Amino acid sequence: MISKAKVGSEELNSCFEKLLMVAAGNSGVRVRMEGAVITEWKDIPMELLLRIVSLVDDRTAIVASGVCCGWRDAICFGLTQLSLSWCKKNMNNLVLSLAPKFTRLQTLILRQENPQLEDNAVEAIANFCRDIQELDLSKSFKLSDHSLYALARGCPNITKLNISGCTSFSDGALEYLTNFCQKLKILNLCGCVKAATDRALQAIGRNCKMLQSLNLGWCDNVGDIGVMSLAYGCPDLKCLDLCGCVRITDDSVIALADKCLHLRSLDLYYCRNITDRAMYSLAHSRVNNKPSLWQSMKGRYDEEGLRSLNISQCTALTPSAVQTLCDTFPALHTCSGRHTLVMSGCLSLTSVHCACAVQAHRTLNTIPHTAH
């Protein structure tokens, strides 16, 4: 473990040389300050040290924090972003050793390929890193509800949380979290089949009024009650992923169209209960919802309104409804290279095209063919 290792003089010199190489190679950092030439690691002023550390990888920054008390205090106080995703073994112990030192962290990435984190590591983060705003715990299969309880009590300022693939969390723990972490703007619950239920979504709708992005991919316990609660409680919602939420119907989409006027991305992949009624509700939302608001946005179609829609495998849809939607939102493209309207597996929708695809087809047909 880094915290327990004694850093020898050779390692100190190696670390120092690496830092100076980074400094010398960056035009914004000078190795000379106030006429003094830095020749030993002890000579580096704290301000320059922090500037250099911000340019090196996180592993080097952690090693540098073990050089001496001065470096440790400066780096631990100044470092606000840290990723440990490079740690393939013993990530849990590393977090336990670093959390009490790096108390000013605002962003912490703990994404794992193989599950390593345990509840005691998250509890350490919650106890010591109370300024955390962005936290990635994706694929932490070993974590239990205790982790969410700890985050709720210790990190109320979280705005971005990724717990995708954390299959052990319950909806009760997620509801508890939302009671305290009400500043959430981005939440990834993809694959959290036990946590993402209508009960949890009702809590999110009640408590997380600032939510802008939510991923509910493959959460097959999500139904209309939950999505409608989101729509009514989170008016600033811009991105919603409902792929694989097989229980939802048109009622969910109608609520989103009616209440979430800033919705820009919607994923309905494999939501086979979705029909033309949902498509028409999205298309008509621009006209029916707050006419004065849409009038004020006139000329900004590419900035506001739906920009991305995935209706792949929604086999109940017909060409007329989807074409109406495509015509209403010019940012939805079917043309090659853009594809912001995805319709894979919908063989009945092959006639649906965006305006620029139609224009390109017309232009191609008007070009005179050279006789051979």
Side-chain angles (χ1 to χ4, degrees), residues 111-372:
R111 191 178 301 114
Q112 306 145 78
E113 291 303 321
N114 299 309
Q116 301 180 60
L117 282 186
E118 299 176 12
D119 289 329
N120 60 346
V122 179
E123 289 169 356
I125 294 168
N127 288 334
F128 296 103
C129 306
R130 294 181 175 268
D131 292 335
I132 286 288
Q133 296 179 21
E134 299 184 14
L135 180 62
D136 189 338
L137 299 173
S138 53
K139 297 185 179 180
S140 298
F141 304 127
K142 293 183 177 181
L143 298 183
S144 73
D145 286 349
H146 292 294
S147 290
L148 292 188
Y149 293 139
L151 290 176
R153 294 188 295 266
C155 303
N157 294 317
I158 288 181
T159 60
K160 182 177 180 180
L161 178 63
N162 186 347
I163 53 174
S164 60
C166 296
T167 53
S168 296
F169 293 152
S170 71
D171 55 356
L174 183 56
E175 180 182 11
Y176 185 86
L177 178 80
T178 66
N179 288 329
F180 295 88
C181 301
Q182 299 189 4
K183 297 179 182 179
L184 277 170
K185 291 184 177 181
I186 302 174
L187 180 59
N188 191 336
L189 300 175
C190 182
C192 297
V193 291
K194 291 173 59 179
T197 64
D198 286 346
R199 172 190 173 184
L201 296 189
Q202 286 177 303
I204 293 172
R206 283 195 310 270
N207 299 319
C208 304
K209 305 295 184 183
M210 301 166 63
L211 194 67
Q212 296 180 6
S213 177
L214 178 61
N215 190 333
L216 294 170
W218 306 108
C219 296
D220 53 14
N221 286 320
V222 169
D224 288 333
I225 293 175
V227 178
M228 292 171 69
S229 299
L230 279 175
Y232 282 87
C234 306
D236 291 333
L237 200 60
K238 293 182 178 180
C239 302
L240 181 60
D241 191 334
L242 295 169
C243 76
C245 296
V246 295
R247 294 175 54 201
I248 68 166
T249 70
D250 292 338
D251 290 341
S252 289
V253 180
I254 291 171
L256 292 167
D258 187 47
K259 298 299 180 181
C260 300
L261 301 183
H262 303 291
L263 192 65
R264 299 179 69 180
S265 176
L266 180 62
D267 194 329
L268 298 171
Y269 174 76
Y270 215 79
C271 297
R272 294 194 166 184
N273 293 322
I274 301 299
T275 71
D276 289 353
R277 186 164 159 251
M279 298 298 100
Y280 284 122
S281 71
L282 287 169
H284 293 162
S285 65
R286 177 158 274 183
V287 178
N288 295 334
N289 289 329
K290 310 286 185 185
S292 59
L293 174 63
W294 291 121
Q295 185 65 27
S296 68
M297 294 176 179
K298 203 170 185 180
R300 293 197 295 157
Y301 273 11
D302 283 341
E303 296 178 19
E304 298 293 336
L306 211 54
R307 295 174 59 89
S308 175
L309 177 65
N310 188 345
I311 50 174
S312 298
Q313 301 297 333
C314 295
T315 52
L317 298 176
T318 65
S320 59
V322 179
Q323 187 64 62
T324 298
L325 181 66
C326 191
D327 293 340
T328 304
F329 296 102
L332 293 178
H333 292 280
T334 61
C335 50
S336 178
R338 301 177 85 168
H339 280 111
T340 52
L341 176 57
V342 185
M343 303 176 290
S344 301
C346 299
L347 299 180
S348 63
L349 301 181
T350 54
S351 63
V352 176
H353 295 291
C354 61
C356 55
V358 173
Q359 182 60 39
H361 180 71
R362 289 174 180 170
T363 302
L364 183 64
N365 288 338
T366 58
I367 297 175
H369 296 282
T370 304
H372 294 282

Side-chain angles (χ1 to χ4, degrees), residues 30-38 43 45 47-48:
R30 297 181 180 179
V31 185
R32 292 175 177 268
M33 289 189 69
E34 298 180 357
V37 178
I38 299 171
D43 296 333
E47 180 183 355
L48 178 59

